[in-house]
Amino acid sequence: MDILQPAVYKEPAPILDKENPFESMMHRFDVAAHLLNLEPGVYEYLKTPVKQIIISIPIAMDNGEIKVFEGYRVIHNDILGPSKGGIRYAPDVSLDEMKALAAWMTWKCAIMNIPFGGAKGGVRCDPGKLAPLVIEKITRRYTANLLDIFGPDRDVPAPDMNTNEQVMAWIMDTYSMHLRRTETAVVTGKPQILGGSLGRREATGRGCMIVTLTAMEKLGLKPKDTTIVVQGFGNVGSTTAQLLAEKGCKIIGIGDVSAAYYNKKGIDLANASEWVKSSRTLAGFQGAERISQEELLELECDVLVPAAKEDQITHRNAAKIKAKIICEGANGPTTAKADPILQEKGILVIPDILANAGGVTVSYFEWVQDRVGYFWSLDRVNSRLERMMSEAFISVYESAERYKVSLRIGAYILAIDKVARTLKLRGIYG
Ligand code: NAD
């Protein structure tokens, strides 16, 4: 079988007016597959998840009632190694969303040269309205139902939206109880005391900082002359803002789900973090002028870091974005329909599958450390992360130049080509 034989394969389909993350992912996949002349059979293979699991999670609630939650785990691909991907708890979790996020994990690991495939999981629930004990019960039953799927050599979960170190500790404990021995490498993003890695919590923001500085260098922007706007002030957004500020950049806009703020002289991030610590959100912060969520994204600035959620830059607002660089801290913050508008404006977009890959990279470091049983210093974690992010940026940049495409399509080409070539070597068992 010749995987990269000449194309007999259709043009990418036009983008539909209504977009969802899966359609956005598939559109970019189609463009890259077309440029790679991917054989139709391989195209079919790579677009189809290996496993899509839907489970029911019955829970005895505090009042004695039984409530049934729906849980998901999608393994998109495991050609490069055990599948890896976060677990999200939210009321709008759906199979389509899981499929897109799982595929992004496959491409992300391929770009980073990490020996993992891609997966994603979640439970449809509203964790804000659930007692911690119920969240623990959901987590343990979810894990027990997926015992045959999870495993350090099979499928390795991590935190995502509304799940954290504590949830990972419960998954690790439940899995270990059934195994009759402690198995720390079954999840990453654990508390350090249970085998978590130093530097994991800041890893995604640190990765964003590294690729942003590299992109700034390409455009001849010096940190002291660079203004930054960050949407989302959680783990990724606040760390990226802080680390870029430490490099000398001026953070002029920040925002979270509650409010957005602008200060052309620069925002005092320590004050903003203190405020969020005491009031949970940014609303009411005094160190800057309040603006609308739309205005935040459209501010005059050098770098915009969307680090909140999907579908923030769309065909409706893309033409109004004034940044020179967009660093996608979030997964899927830009829709496929917005891509050509940003490209037309000459904005350099560092795509999510590269920009936020620092998290999965240090998750990989955590898995390696757990399996060897020897833990690295923070310096070692950070310097290896820096090397891998810089190498990935260069590979994506070269791929984009070679095919004369955006960094996003260059990244997809690099990833799909790597997985397809690995598939060719392994062959099809069937
Ligand atoms: P988080 O929960 O710590 O923070 C999310 C932030 O976004 C919060 O400040 C929240 O208020 C804000 N937000 C939510 N909805 C918003 C809206 N509609 N408008 C403006 N702000 C809004 O989450 P996080 O871990 O920082 O993740 C953020 C994004 O980065 C997600 O897309 C996630 O999938 C992605 N990501 C995270 C990691 C990681 O290691 N944490 C790794 C890769 C990708």
Side-chain angles (χ1 to χ4, degrees):
M1 184 188 63
D2 184 3
I3 284 179
L4 298 178
Q5 69 181 206
V8 263
Y9 154 75
K10 62 179 175 18
E11 291 277 335
I15 317 165
L16 301 171
D17 193 50
K18 185 182 170 308
E19 295 184 77
N20 72 21
F22 187 67
E23 281 157 8
S24 276
M25 188 280 296
M26 275 314 298
H27 182 77
R28 279 87 173 234
F29 175 80
D30 282 356
V31 173
H34 183 69
L35 289 167
L36 271 171
N37 283 339
L38 206 64
E39 187 207 332
V42 176
Y43 168 83
E44 204 59 32
Y45 186 102
L46 295 185
K47 82 168 216 211
T48 318
V50 171
K51 286 190 186 123
Q52 304 178 53
I53 301 149
I54 303 178
I55 53 174
S56 70
I57 304 170
I59 298 294
M61 306 296 281
D62 289 349
N63 60 6
E65 266 176 34
I66 295 171
K67 199 161 178 229
V68 181
F69 296 88
E70 191 158 272
Y72 307 87
R73 186 71 178 167
V74 172
I75 296 179
H76 170 258
N77 197 282
D78 54 3
I79 283 280
L80 296 181
S83 47
K84 186 90 192 72
I87 292 175
R88 162 176 296 202
Y89 290 172
D92 55 354
V93 161
S94 70
L95 192 62
D96 242 17
E97 180 190 41
M98 297 288 113
K99 280 161 66 180
L101 290 162
W104 275 324
M105 288 304 297
T106 302
W107 313 136
K108 214 179 275 188
C109 293
I111 288 170
M112 294 307 298
N113 270 321
I114 292 173
F116 284 148
K120 206 79 184 190
V123 178
R124 193 182 297 165
C125 65
D126 192 348
K129 294 192 181 137
L130 297 172
L133 195 63
V134 175
I135 296 178
E136 179 175 352
K137 282 184 183 181
I138 291 175
T139 305
R140 289 187 183 276
R141 184 64 189 252
Y142 175 81
T143 309
N145 283 4
L146 292 170
L147 277 182
D148 298 333
I149 300 296
F150 293 154
D153 294 307
R154 290 195 296 256
D155 180 35
V156 186
D160 194 72
M161 261 164 59
N162 298 324
T163 60
N164 54 19
E165 293 186 350
Q166 176 61 73
V167 173
M168 297 307 113
W170 289 327
I171 294 177
M172 194 277 269
D173 183 69
T174 309
Y175 185 84
S176 297
M177 286 292 153
H178 284 268
L179 211 64
R180 304 284 188 265
R181 65 181 163 79
T182 297
E183 181 53 271
T184 54
V186 69
V187 285
T188 60
K190 298 178 292 291
Q192 204 192 322
I193 199 169
L194 294 180
S197 178
L198 289 171
R200 172 62 186 88
R201 206 172 299 160
E202 309 80 36
T204 307
R206 183 170 291 278
C208 288
M209 177 271 284
I210 294 164
V211 291
T212 300
L213 289 182
T214 315
M216 280 163 50
E217 221 178 288
K218 292 265 177 215
L219 299 192
L221 288 170
K222 298 216 162 32
K224 67 173 179 40
D225 305 321
T226 302
T227 52
I228 313 256
V229 170
V230 182
Q231 184 205 36
F233 205 67
N235 176 307
V236 181
S238 68
T239 311
T240 308
Q242 184 57 42
L243 293 175
L244 283 168
E246 283 170 19
K247 296 288 175 190
C249 303
K250 198 195 284 179
I251 314 298
I252 58 164
I254 55 173
D256 72 359
V257 70
S258 69
Y261 290 93
Y262 167 66
N263 184 340
K264 73 169 189 245
K265 294 198 185 118
I267 291 169
D268 184 329
L269 293 172
N271 272 351
S273 294
E274 264 319 299
W275 180 262
V276 171
K277 214 178 272 173
S278 59
S279 3
R280 295 192 58 198
T281 60
L282 273 173
F285 173 58
Q286 292 301 316
E289 174 196 340
R290 185 153 179 177
I291 54 174
S292 72
Q293 300 283 6
E294 293 76 28
E295 284 168 327
L296 181 77
L297 295 174
E298 295 161 16
L299 280 173
E300 190 89 50
C301 64
D302 295 306
V303 181
L304 172 63
V305 184
K309 56 183 299 209
E310 298 102 87
D311 297 347
Q312 297 304 294
I313 302 172
T314 69
H315 64 288
R316 291 184 189 86
N317 62 358
K320 297 184 209 149
I321 306 279
K322 298 179 193 73
K324 300 183 181 80
I325 296 170
I326 295 176
C327 173
E328 295 185 335
N331 284 312
T334 307
T335 65
K337 276 180 104 171
D339 278 349
I341 304 171
L342 299 176
Q343 203 170 354
E344 179 86 357
K345 287 174 66 87
I347 299 175
L348 184 65
V349 179
I350 313 171
D352 46 7
I353 53 176
L354 168 65
N356 68 37
V360 72
T361 304
V362 176
S363 272
Y364 165 53
F365 296 166
E366 180 173 329
W367 178 81
V368 169
Q369 293 170 74
D370 285 340
R371 307 199 85 193
V372 177
Y374 177 74
F375 290 86
W376 306 351
S377 67
L378 183 59
D379 265 2
R380 175 175 287 204
V381 170
N382 286 346
S383 64
R384 289 185 174 180
L385 173 64
E386 178 149 9
R387 175 174 54 77
M388 287 178 70
M389 292 298 304
S390 303
E391 285 173 1
F393 185 96
I394 292 166
S395 306
V396 167
Y397 200 87
E398 286 174 356
S399 165
E401 279 195 325
R402 188 157 83 243
Y403 285 88
K404 299 193 174 23
V405 291
S406 64
L407 288 188
R408 188 187 313 284
I409 297 301
Y412 273 77
I413 288 177
L414 189 71
I416 293 168
D417 182 49
K418 180 169 181 188
V419 181
R421 280 188 296 115
T422 314
L423 173 63
K424 182 176 184 179
L425 287 170
R426 289 184 62 156
I428 302 278
Y429 182 26

